[in-house]
Amino acid sequence: QVQLVESGGGLVQAGGSLRLSCAASGSIFSIDAMGWYRQAPGKQRELVARVTSGGRANYADSVKGRFTISMDNAKNTVYLQMNSLKPEDTAAYYCNAAVEEYYYSRATDYWGQGTQVTVSS
């Protein structure tokens, strides 16, 4: 089994910054990629940013230039540095990981329970 634990969410004023962290633990052989998704009330879940273990990253257009995703392969942890936050960034943020487990060759998607980010105006 693999568990993802997110942290770093909270309440911040517009223009402020937050850093989200997500640590994966359990029977991990390797992680192919990790990412962050978000879902606001009444809206569908959307990709915010994703990064592969090789360092290739992609971002939603709405966060390019403001958010930075990075992954520490040794710690099985992904970070999302969020700067210049806007009220429209308010959402529950969910960590995702594509994990290859010991003695099981197929990669499996895992999700964290979510961390709330609220940006006030």
Side-chain angles (χ1 to χ4, degrees), residues 14 19 31 34 38 45 77 81 84 87 94 98 109 112-113 115:
R19 191 179 78 151
I31 297 179
M34 299 185 78
R38 67 186 182 189
R45 185 173 297 187
T77 299
Q81 179 65 47
S84 302
Y94 297 89
D109 273 355
Q113 65 179 359
T115 185

Side-chain angles (χ1 to χ4, degrees), residues 42-103:
K43 293 187 176 182
Q44 65 182 18
R45 185 173 297 187
E46 64 175 351
L47 172 71
V48 178
R50 197 168 195 263
V51 62
T52 69
S53 60
R56 295 184 180 183
N58 61 286
Y59 299 87
D61 288 341
S62 60
V63 307
K64 286 182 179 177
R66 300 188 296 120
F67 292 9
T68 302
I69 190 169
S70 61
M71 182 164 64
D72 186 331
N73 294 321
K75 296 181 179 180
N76 292 326
T77 299
V78 66
Y79 305 93
L80 185 67
Q81 179 65 47
M82 304 186 294
N83 298 325
S84 302
L85 282 162
K86 303 175 181 179
E88 50 263 45
D89 295 318
T90 296
Y93 284 70
Y94 297 89
C95 179
N96 170 265
V99 180
E100 184 176 342
E101 300 179 62
Y102 286 111
Y103 311 114

